Amino acid sequence: MIQLIAFYLFATIVIASAAMVIFARNPVHSVMWLILAFFNAAGLMLLAGAEFIAMLLVIVYVGAVAVLFLFVVMMLDIDFAELRAGFVRYLPLGALVAIILAAELIFAVGAWSAGGVDLAARTAPVVSDKSNIQQIGELLYTKYIFLFEAAGIVLLVAMIGAIVLTHRQRGGVRAQNISQQVRRRPEDATRLVDPGTGQGVEL
């Protein structure tokens, strides 16, 4: 009974937070509602026994993505009147997408009620003596190790590409010449001057 109450509580807060993300007038408030939705979605994942996904939601999405959104929104000079005008302009397209998604959800629920989908035959066997995170780690680093390494290579290539695109030669910038600094002698860098009384030093 407690799990059922917790499920409906988390689900209600997730739906309400998602609605407030869309309808909030202030973008900063939208990001805060999004963080609340992520936290409650993590609670739902804990109830479902998926501790790894719950941890990813809190660490990756709340701790990195949502905070990054918050910093970007707070740093930008946002014109709220222009945002509301854009909302009205894209309202027909958004309504069309919402209708299509609602139709897909209704079709999926109808297909689920009709039967014939044997999900139990496709699910992996559950081992009771191991945690969810341990099972995912063993499966990820044994059976799917090559796909995991391929994903790492793709991310590495993307990082190198971003560095190459942003690190370009700019004019008017004094670059550091290491070899010239190493070859520099003390007598070339300093000069002993003995000015007379009442005379200044020429630079």
Side-chain angles (χ1 to χ4, degrees), residues 186-200:
E187 52 269 21
D188 297 334
T190 59
R191 185 178 61 174
L192 182 59
V193 178
D194 187 12
T197 304
Q199 298 179 1

Side-chain angles (χ1 to χ4, degrees), residues 18-30:
M20 290 304 298
V21 170
I22 300 173
F23 293 109
R25 294 176 177 267
N26 194 333
V28 178
H29 296 168
S30 297

Side-chain angles (χ1 to χ4, degrees), residues 114-138:
V117 181
D118 190 9
L119 295 179
R122 299 184 179 183
T123 57
V126 179
V127 182
S128 59
D129 59 343
K130 295 182 181 180
S131 63
N132 179 258
I133 299 177
Q134 185 177 356
Q135 295 182 46
I136 292 177
E138 291 180 355

Side-chain angles (χ1 to χ4, degrees), residues 7-169:
F7 171 79
Y8 282 113
L9 178 63
F10 287 144
T12 304
I13 297 177
V14 166
I15 295 174
S17 302
M20 290 304 298
V21 170
I22 300 173
F23 293 109
R25 294 176 177 267
N26 194 333
V28 178
H29 296 168
S30 297
V31 177
M32 299 303 293
W33 285 112
L34 181 64
I35 292 175
L36 181 62
F38 283 150
F39 270 115
N40 288 274
L44 288 176
M45 293 298 106
L46 284 177
L47 291 177
E51 300 90 358
F52 182 74
I53 300 179
M55 183 181 65
L56 285 182
L57 281 172
V58 174
I59 296 177
V60 177
Y61 285 91
V62 176
V65 177
V67 174
L68 179 62
F69 286 168
L70 184 61
F71 284 147
V72 171
V73 167
M74 293 176 67
M75 288 173 60
L76 295 178
D77 187 12
I78 299 175
D79 188 2
F80 297 103
E82 185 179 356
L83 281 179
R84 287 191 287 270
F87 176 78
V88 175
R89 183 174 56 190
Y90 293 110
L91 184 60
L93 179 61
L96 178 61
V97 173
I99 292 173
I100 294 174
L101 290 176
E104 290 180 350
L105 287 175
I106 294 172
F107 179 76
V109 171
W112 179 272
S113 302
V117 181
D118 190 9
L119 295 179
R122 299 184 179 183
T123 57
V126 179
V127 182
S128 59
D129 59 343
K130 295 182 181 180
S131 63
N132 179 258
I133 299 177
Q134 185 177 356
Q135 295 182 46
I136 292 177
E138 291 180 355
L139 187 64
L140 185 64
Y141 292 108
T142 55
K143 184 177 180 180
Y144 298 104
I145 182 62
F146 294 111
L147 296 177
F148 182 78
E149 291 180 350
I153 292 174
V154 170
L155 293 176
L156 178 63
V157 170
M159 182 183 68
I160 294 175
I163 294 173
V164 170
L165 290 176
T166 55
H167 188 70
R168 59 183 182 274
Q169 295 293 333

